[in-house]
Amino acid sequence: MRKAYDTFLQSEVSADLATKAGSFEPYRYECAHCGEEVRFAAVGSNSMVPHFRHRSGNSDVECEYYLGQYRAFSTDARSRKSKSERAEFYFDNNTKMFYLGLRLSDDEISDYELRSTTFELRTMPHAAAFYSLRINGRNFSPDVQRMIPIEEFSYNYFLSNTLNDVKRKYEVFNNARNGAPTFFKMQIGDRDYRAKLVRSSVLYTNIPYLVVYQSQYWVPGNVHLPNEINIESSFKFETMGRKFLGKVLTITSKTAQVDSLLLSWGYQLEFSEELTLLWPPSPLVDESILVNADSAYLFSTFELQAQGNINAHSQDLKKIADGISKVPVRSRTKVYRKNAELMIEKREQASDSYSAIPVARKVSRTYIVQDDSTFLFNRSGVSHLNKGMAVLLTPESEIRHFTFGYLDGCVTPSSHDALAGDLLLQDLLMYYKRKETFKWDDYESLELSQTAFQYIESCEKSELINSAAKCFIEEERI
Ligand SMILES: [Zn+2]
């Protein structure tokens, strides 16, 4: 299968681009047809292109057939076929506790609620659940993490629900020998930070991690680490009946010594990527940046790749300069490559009383300007109108009135289209009184209609012509 659903990007991705995007975490990729978990196959192979296979090993002919067809990649989060929870584990520095963050979509919540499903958490596949929670709209908000404090210690946790009873195993605390710590990736915030469990085996240089050592009976002793590992702080805490030692650290460079230490703990080290939002300035709320615009400018040390590391279509991505790209902002735009992770959400325009100013709409052919905050919009642009002016509105023109820069009034002409010829001329003469000097020269080059010709003849005698009628004749609309 050449494509799969990426639960991190919340978009379909292609196998060859996704393999370049970095790490592989359990439960990250799912079959785009049946929703079963898939894994990469033939990565780095010379004879086969990278592709996805069902993790269970069952090669479902239907999935292969379905995904073998040419089909566009969907960047819609709702194209997900699996209904499994999306789970991540966290450490919260405020409470000094570990949490399971559970996220379900709108469809998933209502589907489970309809079937009275309960989420369950276990330390062993066949043990009784030590935590359970009904899945419904009261306990979960769509796509918002529900944080569940973990009160029982286990190296692994098993997540399931009463509907399908498939136990998904998550390895949480590092069970490797020689006192291996567990790594959590720090998230933004100073004192009250939250750190997310690193579920892949890859760590990156120059980004802060929280590591925890745990022991059942005594506080883990201080460990000597190589100089390339910079320790910012150390602290002790107790939770789940265990004693923990926590350290905030950064791995500053990749050396043989660091590599071998990390390898003995079950991790490998790679160089990190950078990813920043340049424009517009936007607030960070929880894990998302709220952007009040249709597009945003990003700086990245890697190439943004549709269906690879961003959930957008390639035609919507625009490379501005080296490292700088313009990306569309939809309800949720995600970029994910190696350590670099960014979620942008479209912020709805704040609906305060100012943007809710009612606009007084009026239909009229003529308008006497009430004050100086009035403007005429027409095909030749915008012109400022002065108080007391009488304006004749031509088709497609419009008068707009502003108060403190906010539109609060609008005058559009009644439809001239219904009127034509003689009737239109009579209408103009009736509503518009301004006259100007008549000169035959103005009309010599025009092909005059019967109505126009007769009117002009009458003007010749008075040597005056109605300005509106003149305008309509010049535009050959009478
Ligand atoms: Zn499948």
Side-chain angles (χ1 to χ4, degrees):
M1 299 178 285
R2 302 291 302 283
K3 72 172 182 180
Y5 182 87
D6 182 347
T7 56
F8 286 12
L9 272 184
Q10 295 181 37
S11 164
E12 289 182 353
V13 292
S14 83
D16 42 347
L17 291 176
T19 51
K20 291 182 199 124
S23 55
F24 178 86
E25 288 87 350
Y27 309 122
R28 174 168 178 177
Y29 297 100
E30 298 169 347
C31 179
H33 185 228
C34 72
E36 198 184 301
E37 193 196 359
V38 294
R39 62 176 178 84
F40 284 124
V43 176
S45 160
N46 291 326
S47 51
M48 281 175 86
V49 290
H51 59 277
F52 293 104
R53 286 221 185 111
H54 287 150
R55 175 163 286 277
S56 64
N58 99 57
S59 43
D60 192 316
V61 182
E62 218 179 285
C63 293
E64 298 286 349
Y65 175 76
Y66 174 84
L67 297 170
Q69 316 273 317
Y70 173 77
R71 262 168 222 275
F73 284 85
S74 167
T75 60
D76 188 340
R78 285 167 301 179
S79 62
R80 187 181 186 217
K81 295 298 183 298
S82 163
K83 289 221 185 305
S84 297
E85 76 292 324
R86 278 165 282 150
E88 296 293 345
F89 290 82
Y90 295 90
F91 171 76
D92 188 303
N93 187 49
N94 212 10
T95 57
K96 300 276 188 296
M97 283 174 71
F98 297 94
Y99 293 82
L100 162 67
L102 212 53
R103 202 191 292 263
L104 293 161
S105 74
D106 205 0
D107 291 352
E108 289 158 356
I109 295 168
S110 47
D111 198 46
Y112 282 134
E113 182 162 8
L114 212 64
R115 305 188 205 194
S116 313
T117 311
T118 300
F119 168 79
E120 295 181 329
L121 187 57
R122 288 176 168 76
T123 55
M124 301 282 272
H126 301 295
F130 71 89
Y131 180 88
S132 58
L133 181 68
R134 275 298 271 275
I135 304 177
N136 57 33
R138 221 165 342 106
N139 290 334
F140 289 89
S141 306
D143 285 308
V144 175
Q145 251 173 353
R146 162 95 197 204
M147 296 302 252
I148 296 164
I150 302 176
E151 275 155 9
E152 226 169 281
F153 178 83
S154 173
Y155 288 106
N156 309 309
Y157 291 92
F158 296 83
L159 280 61
S160 62
N161 65 60
T162 50
L163 190 65
N164 58 27
D165 211 35
V166 176
K167 311 271 195 310
R168 307 222 295 177
K169 179 182 174 184
Y170 284 79
E171 294 173 7
V172 176
F173 293 100
N174 206 334
N175 204 6
R177 300 199 182 278
N178 51 35
T182 304
F183 279 76
F184 291 78
K185 185 181 163 192
M186 303 278 289
Q187 296 189 317
I188 331 279
D190 296 329
R191 200 159 298 189
D192 298 333
Y193 64 83
R194 216 163 64 169
K196 181 162 88 175
L197 175 71
V198 175
R199 290 204 289 119
S200 80
S201 59
V202 184
L203 300 174
Y204 298 98
T205 55
N206 296 318
I207 62 165
Y209 286 106
L210 166 80
V211 305
V212 299
Y213 298 85
Q214 60 79 30
S215 161
Q216 194 161 6
Y217 304 110
W218 56 86
V219 178
N222 229 338
V223 230
H224 176 74
L225 296 172
N227 290 335
E228 291 79 11
I229 299 180
N230 231 340
I231 296 171
E232 224 170 86
S233 63
S234 282
F235 56 94
K236 291 167 185 164
F237 61 99
E238 274 187 55
T239 180
M240 306 184 289
R242 293 245 163 179
K243 295 181 168 50
F244 286 86
L245 171 66
K247 284 178 188 294
V248 176
L249 55 79
T250 308
I251 307 164
T252 58
S253 62
K254 189 171 158 67
T255 63
Q257 195 195 1
V258 171
D259 272 346
S260 95
L261 177 68
L262 293 179
L263 197 64
S264 74
W265 292 343
Y267 294 101
Q268 70 192 77
L269 187 65
E270 283 187 18
F271 292 103
S272 56
E273 300 278 15
E274 263 180 69
L275 177 64
T276 337
L277 173 73
L278 297 177
W279 189 263
S282 308
L284 181 85
V285 176
D286 287 333
E287 288 171 35
S288 324
I289 297 176
L290 302 183
V291 171
N292 190 357
D294 294 329
S295 51
Y297 293 84
L298 304 182
F299 168 79
S300 61
T301 48
F302 54 91
E303 192 90 13
L304 296 185
Q305 224 139 24
Q307 288 100 44
N309 51 35
I310 177 166
N311 61 341
H313 292 294
S314 53
Q315 66 267 28
D316 298 333
L317 299 177
K318 200 168 158 203
K319 194 170 166 175
I320 305 292
D322 217 19
I324 299 173
S325 320
K326 184 179 173 187
V327 305
V329 175
R330 302 171 314 151
S331 61
R332 189 169 281 144
T333 301
K334 287 188 111 189
V335 187
Y336 197 101
R337 183 186 149 92
K338 292 177 144 196
N339 62 297
E341 189 178 345
L342 194 69
M343 181 148 84
I344 300 171
E345 281 197 54
K346 180 126 185 172
R347 181 166 61 162
E348 294 308 323
Q349 190 89 38
S351 64
D352 50 32
S353 51
Y354 294 108
S355 54
I357 287 176
V359 177
R361 294 187 188 278
K362 202 171 142 189
V363 175
S364 174
R365 185 117 359 106
T366 56
Y367 181 74
I368 308 293
V369 179
Q370 305 296 313
D371 62 43
D372 288 349
S373 309
T374 312
F375 297 83
L376 174 68
F377 288 69
N378 60 19
R379 267 185 279 177
S380 42
V382 184
S383 45
H384 181 231
L385 302 174
N386 292 317
K387 188 176 173 178
M389 277 173 82
V391 185
L392 175 83
L393 284 147
T394 52
E396 290 171 56
S397 68
E398 189 177 312
I399 286 170
R400 293 184 192 170
H401 183 268
F402 296 88
T403 300
F404 296 115
Y406 289 92
L407 178 72
D408 63 355
C410 202
V411 184
T412 46
S414 56
S415 171
H416 275 288
D417 300 343
L419 293 174
D422 239 11
L423 285 176
L424 175 56
L425 179 64
Q426 295 315 319
D427 198 63
L428 289 172
L429 298 178
M430 194 190 310
Y431 286 106
Y432 198 78
K433 301 296 183 194
R434 193 172 161 235
K435 290 183 174 180
E436 55 191 86
T437 319
F438 173 78
K439 273 183 275 156
W440 250 117
D441 302 358
D442 295 343
Y443 311 96
E444 267 171 358
S445 61
L446 300 174
E447 266 186 55
L448 296 174
S449 68
Q450 185 69 22
T451 307
F453 187 76
Q454 280 173 0
Y455 174 64
I456 284 175
E457 272 192 332
S458 74
C459 294
E460 204 178 5
K461 291 168 201 152
S462 63
E463 289 182 21
L464 285 173
I465 184 164
N466 180 295
S467 302
K470 180 186 177 212
C471 173
F472 273 65
I473 291 168
E474 281 172 345
E475 289 176 14
E476 296 181 17
R477 283 156 56 199
I478 289 183

